[in-house]
Amino acid sequence: MVILSPSILAADFTRLGEQMEKAEAGGNDYFHFDVMDGMFVPNISFGIPVLKSVRAFTKKTLDVHLMVQSPERYVDKFIDAGADILTVHQEACVPLEETVKHIHECGKKAGVAIKPHTDIQVLEPLYGVADMFLVMTVEPGFGGQEYMDFCTDKIKALRDDLSSKGLDTDIQVDGGITRDNIMTVLEAGANVIVMGSSVFKGDITDNAKFFSQLFKRYDKGEA
């Protein structure tokens, strides 16, 4: 199943609730929540108070991406604030397997992310353990970047490797996904699609509807 996860980082924060409503009217599945600490990535975004507000506003799955150093320090706090899925970076989390286990013990799904230039082989110890793998298709830290074409081969290699082991683990992609390259990432094997500008710039409802309907057709083998 292909899932649409609009990134609220691209929304107008003076109209966040209104814009989230418009995305929901178009049929999104998740909302993607990017947390940046200015250390692991060279930018700062938002954190727990904003997540609490978003949680009170929507019943959609909240897909929280922790682009922070030593994310294990914050797992409990973000779960308490309303996260449904917590994704931590392989490059930033030393007790990685323990952190994934702890997220599961809290009753939530756990994802593991890698930067564009990190080899997918580092994910192998988490095969069959993590619920989702996130392949960043831009350097994490800033929205609005262009998709890195070489990441397509990484997505395909990861999907092929998982399939060879009988696993259908979700593969999420985040960064520069547009109408022009969406079929590329779907055909490579990604099925959880994060989109910022492609949803929140322009007519939000129409954008979300375009992708949600495309994904439904793709699931049926019609796209």
Side-chain angles (χ1 to χ4, degrees):
M1 177 181 176
V2 183
I3 291 167
L4 174 61
S5 186
S7 172
I8 66 169
L9 186 66
D12 178 349
F13 269 69
T14 67
R15 304 164 58 202
L16 180 57
E18 172 191 338
Q19 294 199 345
M20 289 176 64
E21 283 184 338
K22 289 181 177 180
E24 291 195 17
N28 70 301
D29 304 287
Y30 294 176
F31 279 110
H32 192 75
F33 192 92
D34 285 308
V35 182
M36 306 179 194
D37 65 353
M39 296 176 63
F40 178 65
V41 295
N43 198 10
I44 295 173
S45 59
F46 36 67
I48 292 164
V50 177
L51 182 61
K52 286 182 178 179
S53 296
V54 169
R55 176 75 288 166
F57 184 81
T58 183
K59 294 182 179 178
K60 295 287 186 179
T61 296
L62 295 184
D63 162 29
V64 177
H65 179 193
L66 296 180
M67 287 177 275
V68 303
Q69 197 63 44
S70 302
E72 64 276 6
R73 297 175 294 164
Y74 304 107
V75 165
D76 289 342
K77 292 180 180 179
F78 276 99
I79 288 175
D80 289 344
D84 297 299
I85 304 170
L86 271 176
T87 295
V88 299
H89 268 266
Q90 183 273 339
E91 305 93 343
C93 186
V94 174
L96 186 56
E97 293 186 49
E98 293 88 341
T99 300
V100 168
K101 180 180 178 181
H102 180 62
I103 294 169
H104 285 156
E105 288 172 346
C106 292
K108 305 299 179 180
K109 290 186 176 182
V112 177
I114 54 172
K115 294 181 179 182
H117 294 282
T118 300
D119 196 298
I120 63 167
Q121 290 182 350
V122 302
L123 299 175
E124 288 185 12
L126 280 302
Y127 283 7
V129 180
D131 301 289
M132 181 172 74
F133 294 116
L134 166 55
V135 176
M136 292 296 299
T137 47
V138 299
E139 286 295 336
F142 296 93
Q145 300 180 65
E146 291 188 5
Y147 178 82
M148 293 179 168
D149 290 330
F150 72 87
C151 293
T152 303
D153 289 338
K154 292 184 64 176
I155 298 163
K156 186 177 187 305
L158 178 58
R159 176 56 71 199
D160 288 347
D161 202 20
L162 289 167
S163 296
S164 72
K165 294 173 173 59
L167 299 170
D168 60 355
T169 310
D170 287 338
I171 296 178
Q172 184 175 70
V173 288
D174 182 1
I177 311 299
T178 67
R179 296 189 187 207
D180 293 333
N181 59 26
I182 182 59
M183 293 306 299
T184 298
V185 297
L186 292 179
E187 290 170 0
N191 72 299
V192 182
I193 314 299
V194 177
M195 292 182 169
S197 299
S198 291
V199 170
F200 284 108
K201 304 305 179 187
D203 190 313
I204 296 168
T205 299
D206 282 353
N207 290 338
K209 185 178 294 184
F210 172 85
F211 289 111
S212 64
Q213 292 181 348
L214 172 65
F215 295 168
K216 289 177 182 177
R217 294 197 304 273
Y218 186 83
D219 284 335
K220 294 177 181 178
E222 299 173 356

